[in-house]
Amino acid sequence: LAWVAQRRVALRDLKPDNLLVSGEPSRYPTFLKSAADFSIGLIDLETAIYCPEDGALLPEQPQLGGTPSYATPSHFLSNKILERFYPDLWEVFSLQDGYAVLAIIFRVVTDKWLFPKSSALFPGFLKDLKKTSGREESMVEVYRRHNADFWQTARDEFFQKSARYGPFLDAASVAVPDSILQMMTVF
């Protein structure tokens, strides 16, 4: 993930189903005990997007949509709408990946969902988006309102769950390369 982020590529559909773990089959499942004994690959990349650093070049429109447990409201809006909030679309696309990474890590460590209340907001958001009939100003207002509610709910869930599952999270020990730590500081 750090490697693709350094190249300004956002995957936009990170979730456990799109991660492929590989190791020596004869050592399964014990190879999972050491990160040096297995690799994680990425699959299902049709929603990935490259964001050129040159502000004159805009990224192509990625496919819209996402899995609610790992998505943000921005997954469902066109670049044209998102540019009104994020002058550099890389900011929002990398935020989508960061959100999903947090949800995945939490799920792996605790076997619990990090953002169930945030995910439950999607049906209302999508219903309100549909009511706009594609009118840009209406979509902007729907996004503004729902995005604020979404991130406040996600923030609250993050802090509540971090406190509640602190012992599990503290017990997890992972060596994180500097390149990944640098990438995560933007989130």
Side-chain angles (χ1 to χ4, degrees):
L1 184 59
W3 184 86
V4 289
Q6 289 168 352
R7 284 146 185 84
R8 292 179 60 98
V9 172
L11 300 173
R12 302 189 60 256
D13 194 19
L14 285 170
K15 58 186 177 184
D17 289 350
N18 290 345
L19 301 175
L20 177 69
V21 178
S22 66
E24 177 59 45
S26 65
R27 296 192 53 236
Y28 178 81
T30 59
F31 68 71
L32 294 171
K33 291 182 179 182
S34 171
D37 293 337
F38 67 90
S39 298
I40 298 177
L42 302 168
I43 60 172
D44 201 9
L45 301 174
E46 69 269 356
T47 59
I49 184 74
Y50 168 67
C51 293
E53 287 189 58
D54 180 356
L57 298 172
L58 295 176
E60 292 182 25
Q61 177 62 56
Q63 289 185 15
L64 302 181
T67 303
S69 298
Y70 302 99
T72 69
S74 60
H75 277 81
F76 298 90
L77 292 171
S78 70
N79 289 358
K80 186 176 182 180
I81 302 294
L82 293 176
E83 287 172 330
R84 296 183 66 173
F85 295 90
Y86 309 95
D88 181 359
L89 288 175
W90 171 245
E91 179 183 350
V92 70
F93 293 147
S94 62
L95 182 65
Q96 292 170 351
D97 284 354
Y99 178 86
V101 167
L102 284 174
I104 291 167
I105 291 170
F106 190 85
R107 180 87 171 139
V108 167
V109 173
T110 67
D111 195 34
K112 305 291 181 195
W113 297 104
L114 180 55
F115 299 115
K117 292 177 185 175
S118 303
S119 300
L121 298 174
F122 277 109
F125 170 60
L126 296 173
K127 181 179 175 184
D128 286 352
L129 265 184
K130 188 174 182 178
K131 287 181 188 176
T132 69
S133 300
R135 293 184 313 276
E136 189 173 323
E137 290 305 316
S138 298
M139 292 177 81
V140 165
E141 188 50 43
V142 166
Y143 177 68
R144 183 184 322 277
R145 186 176 69 251
H146 282 276
N147 197 48
D149 290 344
F150 175 87
W151 285 108
Q152 183 61 53
T153 303
R155 180 186 179 281
D156 293 347
E157 285 184 288
F158 176 81
F159 286 116
Q160 290 166 2
K161 298 272 180 78
S162 294
R164 182 173 180 188
Y165 295 98
F168 290 103
L169 298 169
D170 290 342
S173 175
V174 179
V176 180
D178 286 340
S179 60
I180 294 175
L181 289 175
Q182 290 171 355
M183 180 193 73
M184 294 303 287
T185 61
V186 300
F187 305 121

